[in-house]
Amino acid sequence: RQLKDFGSFLRPKKLAELVIACQDGPAVVINMHSERCDALVLCPPGHVIQVPLPNLSVESAEKMRSSLSQYIRGRGARSRDERASTNHKHSNTSHDMRRILKLLWLRVVQPILSEIETEV
């Protein structure tokens, strides 16, 4: 940090630096912890909204991520994750994708959009 331009190296960004990300609209960061999950919505010109996500947990997010990965691999896409095995049983039905998207909508997107709508 003693070097020129490295004074804030590996330190959290300041709000003034993050505001740049929301020039065209809100930017959302989801904070997950074993105790609770919340979304932090950064709105122009620097207003932050905290949105509790009571129906989201680390475990449910991991299940959705895993299901989505299995669905995508089952459709023939290659994974960036080298540990992913091609020997797993994959589900290829569009019902699975609808279920995953519904859960993402109900647990993450809808609560965030509802809170943004009431704040703006």
Side-chain angles (χ1 to χ4, degrees):
R1 293 192 181 129
Q2 301 297 324
L3 298 175
K4 183 180 185 248
D5 297 327
F6 282 90
S8 62
F9 183 68
L10 293 178
R11 288 191 177 159
K13 299 274 187 203
K14 296 190 185 302
L15 183 59
E17 296 171 293
L18 294 173
V19 169
I20 296 166
C22 68
Q23 288 178 346
D24 296 326
V28 178
V29 175
I30 298 176
N31 185 39
M32 301 188 69
H33 186 271
S34 60
E35 297 294 320
R36 64 181 287 154
C37 297
D38 298 281
L40 297 175
V41 183
L42 181 58
C43 302
H47 176 65
V48 179
I49 304 168
Q50 178 190 3
V51 182
L53 300 173
N55 297 320
L56 183 65
S57 67
V58 173
E59 295 81 18
S60 66
E62 176 56 32
K63 285 180 185 176
M64 286 186 283
R65 186 210 56 79
S66 177
S67 295
L68 186 57
S69 292
Q70 286 180 0
Y71 177 83
I72 291 170
R73 281 194 310 266
R75 304 294 287 181
R78 290 183 283 175
S79 174
R80 290 184 189 186
D81 186 354
E82 295 180 57
R83 296 170 294 163
S85 170
T86 57
N87 297 328
H88 291 296
K89 191 177 188 180
H90 302 299
S91 175
N92 288 328
T93 65
S94 61
H95 172 74
D96 290 334
M97 179 57 85
R98 283 195 301 266
R99 182 181 58 78
I100 295 164
L101 293 175
K102 180 179 179 179
L103 288 173
L104 282 170
W105 175 263
L106 293 173
R107 295 180 182 178
V108 181
V109 179
Q110 191 273 332
I112 294 169
L113 290 178
S114 293
E115 192 65 32
I116 290 172
E117 185 177 79
T118 61
E119 290 283 331
V120 176

